[in-house]
Amino acid sequence: MTEELFRHDGYQFEFQAQVESIDGELVVLDRTAFYPGGGGQVCDTGTLDDYLVTEAFYDKKGDVAHRVPGHSYSVGDDVWGSVDWNRRFDLMMGHTAEHLLFGSLRREVPDLEISKIFISPESKYVIVSKDVSWKDIRKAVVFANAAIRDNLTVSRIMMSRDDPDLADKVRIKLDRIPEEEEISVVAIGDIDYSACSGVHVMETSELGMIFVDRKVSAGKDGMAIHFKVGDTAADSAMELAVTCLEAAEAADSKPEDIVKAVSNMKKEIEISRASLRESSRALLSSVEPRNVNGTFVYSAMVHGADRTVMAEAAEKVKSKGGVAAFVSYGETVSAVMSSGSTKTDCRMVLTEVLGKFGGRGGGKPDFAQGGIPDPDKGEDLLEAMEDAIVKSLSLSNIN
Ligand SMILES: [Zn+2]
């Protein structure tokens, strides 16, 4: 079995070892400081002599295999290993920060469970069993950063399964640990105990700062809480703070009132949308049709009408055997067409007309919809639709 140097000393990143076995580009050594990944933390990379180690992982025998493309080692060779320390330290910080952050979140939400952890140089997050409010996240982050300033010792304690402290204090998933194994518990001062065999820093001050910068739904698993640690946490916090100040200015609000201001704006928008829907509905139902060769043609242009309202009105026209051409304009221009006449094929007419304005659409012979990119061409679009409808109803002139 490979002697796992990272188990005893997370800070050893250079080591001498001997090649024990080789399988193509995979090299197994008698000892290694390369962490093979596990517990949600990705593996180390680095070098063996002048060769790159692109990956390290546990092989089927439980040894640490190093992927060393292009190596020329033979069994028995001495090697000098070097782990990419910047990457490793970032992962150690991330892993320790994850313990501290989750422990702090659990102080605010005692029944919170952890379902997954992911620690890589690019991304660090913990998936928790349910949504956590920003209010609780704020309290947890304040607590975690105070623990960082207190410079608590991070230590490893070995416990047996029947240790009374285990059930009392320690976050653990016993079913994931083999019966015969002693349990390795990572303690942060006396505020957090978690069963873990990964690599961690020795003191919380090494973390510098923890900052939660995002939460994203993880579907049935719950909520992914993304965090940053160290200098990247400070950079991210500053950037987001400035974004918040910018948003407050744009919303004519004080920064501390921005959440309320945005929520009021959303309510106002909902109310205006509802009233716009009502007036569009009224306008479209009062359109006077023109008789084109025995078929009633309804056409109208409505500012800001949504497609659903236009579609509703168009369906009514269709059911009466008429033809409808409705255009809505605003920031975009959209068109809806329906036909209760076999002479007018909506899909054909509309896609051809939209094409002339650089737009796109689709549908069926009795109903079609689409839009064009130029917001100033609404009127021209409606005219072109009317002309095409008249043509399809075999008339050369709308009058
Ligand atoms: Zn850990």
Side-chain angles (χ1 to χ4, degrees):
M1 288 286 272
T2 316
E3 187 193 344
E4 300 179 344
L5 301 169
F6 53 84
R7 294 264 175 240
H8 322 295
D9 181 2
Y11 292 77
Q12 182 176 358
F13 63 98
E14 292 195 305
F15 62 101
Q16 185 155 26
Q18 232 172 33
V19 175
E20 283 221 320
S21 68
I22 290 168
D23 177 7
E25 54 184 28
L26 300 181
V27 177
V28 170
L29 307 171
D30 61 342
R31 57 209 297 266
T32 188
F34 280 84
Y35 183 63
Q41 181 179 328
V42 298
C43 69
D44 288 336
T45 57
T47 53
L48 290 183
D49 299 309
D50 291 333
Y51 303 113
L52 285 177
V53 175
T54 57
E55 188 190 5
F57 59 93
Y58 282 116
D59 66 13
K60 281 181 193 152
K61 286 190 224 156
D63 286 318
V64 177
H66 307 75
R67 189 177 298 281
V68 193
H71 76 82
S72 59
Y73 289 128
S74 310
V75 171
D77 280 355
D78 284 327
V79 303
W80 182 252
S82 179
V83 172
D84 178 340
W85 174 245
N86 287 336
R87 176 187 160 98
R88 154 66 87 77
F89 190 60
D90 176 67
L91 296 173
M92 274 160 70
M93 288 205 297
H95 198 129
T96 315
E98 172 269 310
H99 285 243
L100 182 54
L101 177 63
F102 182 71
S104 306
L105 286 169
R106 232 225 325 211
R107 294 172 70 89
E108 305 306 326
V109 188
D111 61 343
L112 197 66
E113 296 288 335
I114 203 160
S115 39
K116 223 176 265 173
I117 298 161
F118 186 71
I119 308 291
S120 79
E122 298 78 23
S123 161
K124 298 173 177 64
Y125 58 82
V126 47
I127 297 181
V128 294
S129 49
K130 57 180 183 180
D131 190 15
V132 182
S133 70
W134 282 107
K135 212 171 175 181
D136 285 335
I137 290 177
R138 181 193 289 231
K139 283 191 214 157
V141 168
V142 166
F143 181 83
N145 282 298
I148 289 174
R149 284 193 297 274
D150 288 345
N151 197 18
L152 305 177
T153 300
V154 181
S155 54
R156 186 184 296 281
I157 309 163
M158 298 311 289
M159 284 186 178
S160 65
R161 277 183 171 247
D162 44 20
D163 193 317
D165 271 354
L166 196 66
D168 263 12
K169 292 188 186 170
V170 180
R171 287 201 305 277
I172 186 165
K173 288 192 170 144
L174 271 175
D175 52 318
R176 293 193 184 169
I177 300 166
E179 289 269 350
E180 66 283 3
E181 251 178 49
E182 250 201 322
I183 293 156
S184 160
V185 173
V186 174
I188 300 180
D190 60 357
I191 62 168
D192 188 71
Y193 298 86
S194 176
C196 183
S197 52
V199 282
H200 309 86
V201 301
M202 288 171 77
E203 291 175 324
T204 54
S205 64
E206 292 171 78
L207 303 181
M209 178 175 169
I210 292 179
F211 181 66
V212 170
D213 64 340
R214 203 152 52 104
K215 57 175 183 172
V216 185
S217 167
K220 62 176 172 33
D221 288 338
M223 185 64 69
I225 312 264
H226 289 251
F227 63 94
K228 293 199 158 59
V229 60
D231 290 346
T232 52
D235 291 346
S236 166
M238 269 188 292
E239 209 167 292
L240 273 173
V242 172
T243 305
C244 168
L245 293 172
E246 251 184 319
E249 191 177 281
D252 286 327
S253 142
K254 289 182 195 161
E256 60 270 33
D257 295 336
I258 181 73
V259 175
K260 210 174 167 202
V262 169
S263 131
N264 285 343
M265 268 183 222
K266 278 172 85 176
K267 271 184 215 149
E268 276 166 31
I269 289 170
E270 270 166 40
I271 293 168
S272 356
R273 275 202 189 130
S275 95
L276 185 60
R277 261 197 302 275
E278 274 318 302
S279 52
S280 314
R281 213 169 263 143
L283 205 147
L284 288 170
S285 66
S286 67
V287 171
E288 288 295 329
R290 278 166 292 180
N291 188 331
V292 182
N293 203 21
T295 301
F296 286 112
V297 177
Y298 297 71
S299 70
M301 202 160 98
V302 191
H303 191 194
D306 67 34
R307 272 194 200 182
T308 336
V309 172
M310 292 200 292
E312 258 171 40
E315 284 291 336
K316 269 186 208 157
V317 169
K318 185 178 85 183
S319 68
K320 288 187 285 188
V323 175
F326 297 143
V327 168
S328 150
Y329 66 103
E331 280 179 30
T332 59
V333 173
S334 52
V336 166
M337 213 185 133
S338 73
S339 169
S341 159
T342 48
K343 290 186 193 164
T344 307
D345 183 321
C346 295
R347 183 172 47 197
M348 235 163 67
V349 169
L350 191 64
T351 46
E352 196 193 319
V353 173
L354 289 173
K356 286 180 191 160
F357 292 87
R360 279 163 57 176
K364 295 175 185 166
D366 65 345
F367 183 88
Q369 53 184 337
I372 59 169
D374 188 345
D376 297 327
K377 293 281 184 212
E379 214 161 318
D380 298 344
L381 174 66
L382 185 63
E383 250 173 56
M385 284 167 75
E386 285 167 349
D387 288 349
I389 290 167
V390 167
K391 204 171 140 199
S392 71
L393 292 170
S394 310
L395 263 178
S396 58
N397 196 307
I398 197 155
N399 299 312

